[in-house]
Amino acid sequence: MVKALDKYLFNEAKKYLVGGVNSPVRSFKAVGGYPVFIKRGRGSKIYSEDDREFIDYCQSFGALILGHANPNVAKELKKAIDKGTSFATTTKLETELAKLIIKAIPSIERIRFTNSGTEAAMTAIRLSRAYTRKNKIIKFEGLYHGHADFTKYTLLAPYNNIKKVEDLVDKHREDIAAIIVEPVAGNMGVVLPEEDFLQSLRKIADKYHIVLIFDEVITGFRFIYGGAQKVFNLKPDLTVLGKIIGGGLPIGALGGKREIMALLAPDGPVYQAGTFSGNPVSVTAGLATLKILSETNPYKKLEVLTQDLCKGIKQIVEDYSLKIKINFIGSMFSIFFADKEVIDYNIARAQDTDLFKRFYHGLLKEGIYLSPSGLEANFLSVAHTAQDLEKTLNAVDRNLKNLRRN
Ligand code: PMP
């Protein structure tokens, strides 16, 4: 059922904004219908312009681990705004945030803040080229590292397929500058690395003088206070961060080995800059968020809540004998209408998108907001409660019943 106000607002938006949006997935192209226009959020909930309430499992695509408008973060932000929002000078706050991140992620010896994950990933690739004096990049199908041009220099391999990576390295050995990977994929839905996949990438990178880049824009501070690299006990050469470290405000960062990072201007020849990079507002929100995460260590609780939700959904799915796979880790999950285990992009995109669309809109009607695509991850925050879960499971149950019936 299309809400009249959403339809009207989207048509208005389309008169002025390309496709009515400022980022494509928000257009609901992947699920059909009209996007919900949101005017505010609080904790686990978001509210539409016509005052419908949704339990939000998108959480700004994982940027918000403390939920919407966390009062402590908001308090710090209000103080920061009163002091001025951007100086484009050095500030003490930037050093403080850098220190916290370096302490939490030991592979990072030096860091540079940017305004988005896109910028940080682009710079990590540029740095890898300068450092190795080679050109090509190995990237995995279905993973996303921002929208910087991936050009003729990009070689593609399926996620979780080491054999294909070895073949590419064999063929282009003299010219591979970097391997870039999300240690846990979040951009084709949640897909976990198979055993030894990441370890094998590390070995290949070491053997052939290739820079290993972990894109932790989603996974950084998502599973533990630190990177997914700690979970998998690995050290990439460079790490790309974003989302959570900005506490709900725009940010990105890249960090890693001192000798690679030293190639960045002003220390080295690789130019990178930004008027708003390290601005006091984003940095304040990031500092407040990381402080709360380190003091409260909510990760175990988040993991248990997510497990309960996913196991609950699995149970319901089995009751209806539907072909659904649920991938989850920490506080991330995806529901795939697929009959095979989802381990790469080909399987992820072969899912039954029609069924997903119906499922999606069925949940939306019940006040459950999932990320609006079967190829995106969903997230829990510390603000999600057992009641939220119960409401969600009941809605899923009713929906699957309907799907099976139709
Ligand atoms: N890398 C990954 C893994 C991401 O998920 C994203 C954004 N979802 C980016 C990079 C780009 O970050 P941003 O949207 O801040 O440019």
Side-chain angles (χ1 to χ4, degrees), residues 61 115-119 121 144-147 182 186-187 215-218 240 242-243 251-252 376:
F61 288 106
N115 299 297
S116 67
T118 290
E119 285 171 66
Y144 180 67
H145 308 292
H147 59 277
E182 292 175 62
N187 281 289
D215 183 340
E216 298 228 36
V217 166
I218 289 180
V240 181
K243 301 205 193 250
I251 206 161
E376 294 283 356

Side-chain angles (χ1 to χ4, degrees), residues 227-238:
Q229 51 197 266
K230 196 155 147 194
V231 176
F232 298 106
N233 196 21
L234 277 169
K235 279 191 174 181
D237 303 303
L238 292 178

Side-chain angles (χ1 to χ4, degrees), residues 124-126 128-129 132 134-140 145 149-157 168 175-181 210-211 213:
I125 286 168
R126 186 178 284 179
S128 306
R129 289 212 174 106
T132 59
K134 295 188 277 184
N135 288 305
K136 294 185 175 132
I137 307 295
I138 295 181
K139 170 194 182 290
F140 295 92
H145 308 292
D149 285 342
F150 281 90
T151 60
K152 64 183 166 93
Y153 290 122
T154 311
L155 307 168
L156 280 174
L168 288 174
D175 204 23
I176 297 180
I179 299 173
I180 185 163
V181 67
I210 294 169
V211 175
I213 307 170

Side-chain angles (χ1 to χ4, degrees), residues 198-264:
L198 298 171
Q199 283 80 354
S200 302
L201 294 182
R202 179 67 276 174
K203 279 187 201 142
I204 291 169
D206 284 341
K207 191 164 169 195
Y208 296 105
H209 185 55
I210 294 169
V211 175
L212 180 63
I213 307 170
F214 272 12
D215 183 340
E216 298 228 36
V217 166
I218 289 180
T219 58
F221 296 90
R222 174 53 59 186
F223 309 134
I224 49 166
Y225 186 79
Q229 51 197 266
K230 196 155 147 194
V231 176
F232 298 106
N233 196 21
L234 277 169
K235 279 191 174 181
D237 303 303
L238 292 178
T239 299
V240 181
L241 293 165
K243 301 205 193 250
I244 290 175
I245 63 158
L249 275 90
I251 206 161
L254 75 148
K257 279 190 180 156
R258 193 173 317 169
E259 67 190 71
I260 307 179
M261 294 301 290
L263 291 175
L264 264 189

